Amino acid sequence: MFDIFEIFGKFSYFGIFLVLIGVNASPILMPPSWIILTSFYLLDPALNIIILSMVGATGATLGRFILKQISVIFRRFVAEEQKSNLDVIGDYLNQKKYGYVIASFLFGATPLPSNMLFIAYGLMRAKSLGIYIGFWFGRTISYIVMIYSGNAVLTPFLELFEDRLTGILLIDGAGIGLIILFASINWTLLITQRKLKFVKPKIWRF
């Protein structure tokens, strides 16, 4: 990992931008992008935190756009019941003027990985520009906070898992579980009658 920082760090903001695109275009097995940005800053404190955060947010947003487009392809393997169910929540958010903006901003403003959010958007065939606007602003704010925090946040987080791969796998596993749970909620019943009910979690068909 250090080699990546060293190689792309030579290209300053543009190199960091490319790294963030690649990391965020991948669905799994990638560390949270705020860790990468914070690491770049700690290696080169001359970087401007505001500019670094904006560059990082732009790369992350473009990467997530690519991930969403890839996820649309996998919709063909989703069971028809889940397709209809996902379309309901998609239509509901489309009817709300700032539905996607608010949803993406709230998620982007946290340091949590957003890969499963954009996979869900892809399965829903969401096409709102608000997805990216909300996410960009949310990510910019969260990156500024996390980079300013520096080692105070980074070191304790990494110490949670001595084996970083184990930590990434656990986070991805939790994310996959959440996307299955999300797709299994009966959104029609929840939106129209405010009742929580689940449909059979038959996600994939072959």
Side-chain angles (χ1 to χ4, degrees):
M1 179 64 75
F2 183 78
D3 290 339
I4 294 177
F5 292 135
E6 191 174 68
I7 293 171
F8 286 91
K10 294 178 181 178
F11 299 97
S12 190
Y13 297 109
F14 181 67
I16 297 170
F17 174 71
L18 294 178
V19 172
L20 266 290
I21 291 176
V23 168
N24 284 274
S26 175
I28 58 174
L29 300 180
M30 288 293 167
S33 51
W34 67 266
I35 290 181
I36 295 173
L37 279 182
T38 302
S39 298
F40 270 118
Y41 178 73
L42 292 176
L43 288 173
D44 184 6
L47 293 169
N48 182 284
I49 292 180
I50 304 298
I51 296 176
L52 179 60
S53 299
M54 294 175 69
V55 168
T58 304
T61 302
L62 182 56
R64 290 312 190 203
F65 169 78
I66 295 171
L67 176 60
K68 187 178 83 68
Q69 297 305 110
I70 294 173
S71 300
V72 172
I73 298 173
F74 291 98
R75 181 182 165 89
R76 69 185 64 179
F77 300 112
V78 177
E80 292 300 324
E81 188 174 9
Q82 263 72 33
K83 282 183 182 178
S84 299
N85 196 34
L86 289 169
D87 288 341
V88 169
I89 183 61
D91 292 339
Y92 175 77
L93 289 174
N94 280 326
Q95 292 170 8
K96 301 296 181 180
K97 189 174 182 180
Y98 301 108
Y100 281 117
V101 175
I102 294 173
S104 294
F105 175 81
L106 292 176
F107 208 94
T110 71
L112 298 174
S114 57
N115 50 345
M116 294 305 162
L117 174 68
F118 280 83
I119 290 175
Y121 280 153
L123 294 176
M124 290 159 53
R125 294 187 299 190
K127 296 181 180 180
S128 172
L129 184 61
I131 291 172
Y132 310 106
I133 295 174
F135 183 74
W136 187 89
F137 278 102
R139 272 296 184 246
T140 298
I141 293 172
S142 68
Y143 287 160
I144 290 173
V145 172
M146 300 307 287
I147 295 172
Y148 264 118
S149 301
N151 276 325
V153 175
L154 182 62
T155 301
F157 184 89
L158 294 179
E159 287 178 351
L160 288 175
F161 303 102
E162 292 184 7
D163 184 346
R164 297 183 188 182
L165 179 60
T166 300
I168 293 172
L169 287 173
L170 288 174
I171 292 173
D172 285 338
I176 292 171
L178 286 174
I179 199 68
I180 294 175
L181 179 66
F182 178 83
S184 299
I185 295 174
N186 186 326
W187 288 104
T188 301
L189 192 64
L190 182 61
I191 292 171
T192 59
Q193 301 182 33
R194 300 293 188 273
K195 293 182 180 179
L196 180 61
K197 185 178 180 180
F198 295 92
V199 295
K200 188 177 179 180
K202 183 180 179 182
I203 305 297
W204 308 108
R205 62 179 177 83
F206 296 93

